[in-house]
Amino acid sequence: VRVEHQRAAISSSLKDMTPVDAHIIIDWKIKFPPVKYTETSVDHFGKRGLSWHGCAAYVGSYCDTPTFYDTIMENDNLQDTFSTVCALEAVLWAMKRDFPQVESVTIQCDNAPCYQCDAMVIALSLLRPLCDQRIKRVLHTETQDGKSIVDAHFGVARRYVDAYVNEGNDVAVPAQLAHALSRSPLNNTRIMLLHVDSARRDYIRDLLQHERILFGLRRSDKIGRANEIVFEENGSVRLFGHSGFLSKVLHRNEKASNTPLVEHAINDDRDCACQNEFDLAVLQEEHESLLPQP
């Protein structure tokens, strides 16, 4: 029953899209193992894998062909909420340039811990003012509810990377993976090599704690397990246990910013509660093979 509710909500989101709407599907690829054309036994020790985040964006009504955004993390192999927000921020900026007509975005993702958690709900509420695009809604699919089009894209892209290695090339570091993808004949795809500012993790952690206070959340409150999240224009957040079943409404209280608890959570010299800006990542390289939109 839960799966059917989520499928119906996703189908409705795609069906009701207007020319200024976008529906994006995001997912992490299982960490890509570094590959060399000629490997020694030493190369098999200490492999951590490369972080590769994918996104398929459907833009406008009656759009059957998505645009793919592959984000490779250059200096961070984690696949946590912080890295996910970095990748999503980069995608929103790229979409602003590629599709300036988009005004609202619906995000579809699975229920992996990096997507379905308290920090992600609050982080998305902060990302909403970026890029002149409004994150309208988040829809989580249920566990093992089939593969998405992003998984299929990963499979095709991996074959091209393997072919690149078989030509005598190495794909052992993020820059080499981005280069291999950029040489592949992937259509409607933008490849981004992202440098993540890991030093700002503590800062963002404090910022998210500050936002929890503004939403009136206690440490024991758990809001991340909602399967549908709707961000209202007035700043409130509606949480649905499953699509169509409202469980909680969060209201942002600006007056709470004067409490001593907030002053403890955010130091005065780095308070950016009103900036609503992350600036977590720097785009190092970008490649594209975007075809003209039909």
Side-chain angles (χ1 to χ4, degrees):
V1 176
R2 296 194 301 266
V3 172
E4 291 302 321
H5 277 294
Q6 297 310 114
R7 287 178 177 175
I10 292 169
S11 177
S12 175
S13 175
L14 291 169
K15 181 180 178 180
D16 297 339
M17 286 175 59
T18 67
V20 297
D21 293 332
H23 182 105
I24 66 176
I25 305 170
I26 58 177
D27 198 4
W28 282 104
K29 177 172 175 51
I30 296 176
K31 288 188 178 179
F32 184 86
V35 181
K36 292 185 177 181
Y37 180 67
T38 303
E39 289 190 328
T40 64
S41 59
V42 176
D43 294 326
H44 291 280
F45 291 93
K47 283 189 175 181
R48 299 193 305 164
L50 309 179
S51 285
W52 177 359
H53 189 264
C55 170
Y58 293 89
V59 177
S61 54
Y62 307 107
C63 177
D64 296 326
T65 304
T67 299
F68 293 98
Y69 295 89
D70 289 311
T71 307
I72 313 300
M73 301 298 185
E74 185 186 36
N75 62 324
D76 190 350
N77 78 320
L78 298 176
Q79 295 183 355
D80 58 1
T81 301
F82 180 86
S83 299
T84 303
V85 173
C86 291
L88 189 54
E89 182 187 22
V91 168
L92 290 176
W93 278 110
M95 287 183 61
K96 179 182 178 180
R97 179 176 54 191
D98 297 338
F99 306 103
Q101 76 275 17
V102 170
E103 297 178 358
S104 66
V105 177
T106 295
I107 300 173
Q108 176 186 333
C109 53
D110 58 25
N111 56 3
C114 62
Y115 295 128
Q116 199 171 33
C117 63
D118 296 8
M120 179 56 73
V121 176
I122 299 173
L124 291 178
S125 71
L126 292 173
L127 277 179
R128 290 179 63 229
L130 289 178
C131 313
D132 299 325
Q133 298 163 339
R134 172 183 165 234
I135 299 178
K136 180 174 62 175
R137 191 181 187 191
V138 178
L139 293 168
H140 292 285
T141 55
E142 286 289 340
T143 304
Q144 303 300 324
D145 187 20
K147 297 292 185 179
S148 70
I149 192 170
V150 179
D151 294 300
H153 173 75
F154 284 147
V156 174
R158 175 61 194 262
R159 290 201 296 270
Y160 288 133
V161 173
D162 289 341
Y164 176 78
V165 173
N166 291 334
E167 292 175 0
N169 303 294
D170 294 338
V171 180
V173 296
Q176 292 174 336
L177 175 57
H179 183 66
L181 290 172
S182 68
R183 291 193 52 184
S184 67
L186 292 169
N187 294 329
N188 268 30
T189 302
R190 184 181 295 281
I191 297 95
M192 297 179 288
L193 180 63
L194 214 60
H195 180 90
V196 179
D197 187 357
S198 300
R200 292 172 63 86
R201 284 182 182 271
D202 291 339
Y203 165 72
I204 296 302
R205 188 181 299 112
D206 288 345
L207 179 59
L208 295 181
Q209 177 61 26
H210 171 73
E211 288 296 309
R212 283 184 66 91
I213 296 169
L214 294 185
F215 279 116
L217 295 171
R218 298 183 299 272
R219 189 179 298 273
S220 59
D221 290 335
K222 301 298 181 183
I223 59 175
R225 298 305 297 173
N227 276 331
E228 180 179 352
I229 304 161
V230 177
F231 298 94
E232 302 290 355
E233 293 186 6
N234 61 4
S236 63
V237 181
R238 300 169 66 197
L239 305 174
F240 296 80
H242 301 288
S243 294
F245 295 88
L246 181 65
S247 60
K248 192 179 185 66
V249 179
L250 304 179
H251 298 282
R252 198 170 185 272
N253 181 14
E254 296 290 349
K255 295 181 179 179
S257 60
N258 297 324
T259 64
L261 188 57
V262 172
E263 295 176 1
H264 175 72
I266 302 288
N267 294 330
D268 292 337
D269 60 341
R270 57 177 187 173
D271 186 1
C272 72
C274 297
Q275 293 181 10
N276 287 329
E277 189 170 347
F278 275 78
D279 292 332
L280 297 178
V282 177
L283 193 63
Q284 297 295 98
E285 295 181 17
E286 188 172 28
H287 310 275
E288 61 179 321
S289 57
L290 295 177
L291 296 180
Q293 295 295 316

